[in-house]
Amino acid sequence: MADAGEFGLIARYFTRPTPSALLGPGDDCALLVPTPGKVLAVTTDMLVAGVHFLPDTDPERLGWKSLAVNLSDLAAMGATARWVTLAGALPAADEAWLAAFARGFFACAEAHGVELVGGDTTAGPLNLCVTALGEIEPDQALRRSGAQVGDEVWVSGRPGLAALGLAHLQGRVSLPEPWPRLCLAALEKPRPRLALGAALRSVAHAAIDISDGMLADLGHLARASGLAATLHLVQLPQLRELAGSGARYDADLRRLALECQLSGGDDYELLFTAARGQHNRIAEIAAELELPLWCIGEMSAGTPGAVQVLDPDGKPVEFARRGYEHFQAAVPDQAPHAHG
């Protein structure tokens, strides 16, 4: 009979070859040798059932997402992903659940060239914690603090789809076809933009992933850089076209889509700033990666962290909520959410 204890489960579902590590899982520590001339980029995030994901989330997609959200942080720094560790509290040793979770986790790991080199398991409420390690040359790291006055603000992909998917699952909106498929894929199987982060090393001045909401994370970047930012609604990627010519897209759905786009979070797209002279190069990167990149605003001198939103007529627009924040008063459309 297979060992169903902690070490048996680890050996069966989470032990894979780690050829790039000097020593992988099975000892008290992993032994890792960074590439000469590079520094380590290290990030850790927890995903807690009922806070960061719905308890009945498909375990295979949860396995993918638990790793992808950490790799997204490496992407925002322009780092190359190398190794990860995984710790989990599990309410029960459900082998079918573990097998599916491991499939998703290792599918994401293999897709992005990373190795699981250690971790831990314990009994308790479902809680997953991943630490991801990447490498980058010290002078190439994309920090939040590097934005400059006059920089253009860019964002990748289609922000807002994940938050729309969550609203659909929570019954706050009934999305017309084909939105549910598109939005649930964005919510449950995000794509860390590692290739984009690498391409931006010599192009962008600052970057951040928009896990907490575009307005909130642009504010974080602006504050770290000691600058203000302006965002133009007319320059945002349009979600309407994704619905198809025959799908319903009424005023209520349009308003919800905009709110999700600006403050919904859980997108794991990259928001970055670059000099205006890099505009054409960024367009080339978009074509090379087959990834939409949108110029949505600019950085300016002003109150650090202030973000002004302008409507198509150039008039300021106020939004009561700018993103997700733990420990604030419970808001129905704020939970569960991805990492903060």
Side-chain angles (χ1 to χ4, degrees), residues 276-299:
R276 293 182 184 276
Q278 297 285 3
H279 195 103
N280 290 340
R281 175 58 191 140
I282 293 170
E284 291 173 355
I285 291 171
E288 292 165 4
L289 298 180
E290 298 182 339
L291 173 65
L293 300 177
W294 311 87
C295 182
I296 60 172
E298 62 275 337
M299 306 298 296

Side-chain angles (χ1 to χ4, degrees), residues 56-169:
D56 61 352
T57 297
D58 173 72
E60 186 167 348
R61 287 197 162 190
L62 181 59
W64 175 286
K65 184 171 183 175
S66 65
L67 178 53
V69 302
N70 284 266
L71 298 184
S72 181
D73 284 333
L74 295 182
M77 296 293 291
T80 299
R82 295 292 309 276
W83 305 287
V84 295
T85 65
L86 169 64
L90 306 172
D94 183 335
E95 297 212 31
W97 190 96
L98 284 167
F101 178 89
R103 280 197 306 272
F105 187 93
F106 283 109
C108 187
E110 292 164 8
H112 297 97
V114 300
E115 296 174 0
L116 179 64
V117 295
D120 189 29
T121 59
T122 188
L126 184 56
N127 181 0
L128 305 162
C129 182
V130 173
T131 295
L133 300 92
E135 294 181 327
I136 192 167
E137 294 183 15
D139 60 351
Q140 290 188 334
L142 299 174
R143 307 184 187 199
R144 299 180 182 184
S145 58
Q148 300 178 16
V149 172
D151 275 2
E152 293 179 327
V153 178
W154 294 77
V155 71
S156 66
R158 300 280 183 175
L161 294 185
L164 273 175
L166 176 59
H168 181 75
L169 289 177

Side-chain angles (χ1 to χ4, degrees), residues 110-255:
E110 292 164 8
H112 297 97
V114 300
E115 296 174 0
L116 179 64
V117 295
D120 189 29
T121 59
T122 188
L126 184 56
N127 181 0
L128 305 162
C129 182
V130 173
T131 295
L133 300 92
E135 294 181 327
I136 192 167
E137 294 183 15
D139 60 351
Q140 290 188 334
L142 299 174
R143 307 184 187 199
R144 299 180 182 184
S145 58
Q148 300 178 16
V149 172
D151 275 2
E152 293 179 327
V153 178
W154 294 77
V155 71
S156 66
R158 300 280 183 175
L161 294 185
L164 273 175
L166 176 59
H168 181 75
L169 289 177
Q170 292 177 325
R172 291 187 288 115
V173 64
S174 179
L175 292 173
E177 292 295 340
W179 286 59
R181 175 179 54 82
L182 296 169
C183 293
L184 292 180
L187 174 68
E188 297 177 348
K189 199 172 182 181
R191 303 286 177 172
R193 302 303 188 185
L194 287 160
L196 175 60
L200 292 174
R201 289 172 189 160
S202 60
V203 175
H205 287 150
I208 189 172
D209 80 333
I210 51 172
S211 55
D212 290 330
M214 190 188 302
L215 293 181
D217 286 316
L218 178 54
H220 297 328
L221 184 149
R223 186 174 298 105
S225 295
L227 299 175
T230 299
L231 187 153
H232 301 276
L233 292 182
V234 73
Q235 296 174 213
L236 291 175
Q238 296 298 304
L239 299 183
R240 179 173 187 167
E241 64 194 61
L242 298 179
S245 59
R248 177 180 63 83
Y249 193 79
D250 58 22
D252 289 340
L253 182 53
R254 184 183 302 111
R255 183 167 49 252

Side-chain angles (χ1 to χ4, degrees), residues 1-13 93-96 98-99:
M1 182 184 224
D3 181 4
E6 174 187 1
F7 299 108
L9 294 174
I10 292 173
R12 190 150 55 253
Y13 297 112
D94 183 335
E95 297 212 31
L98 284 167

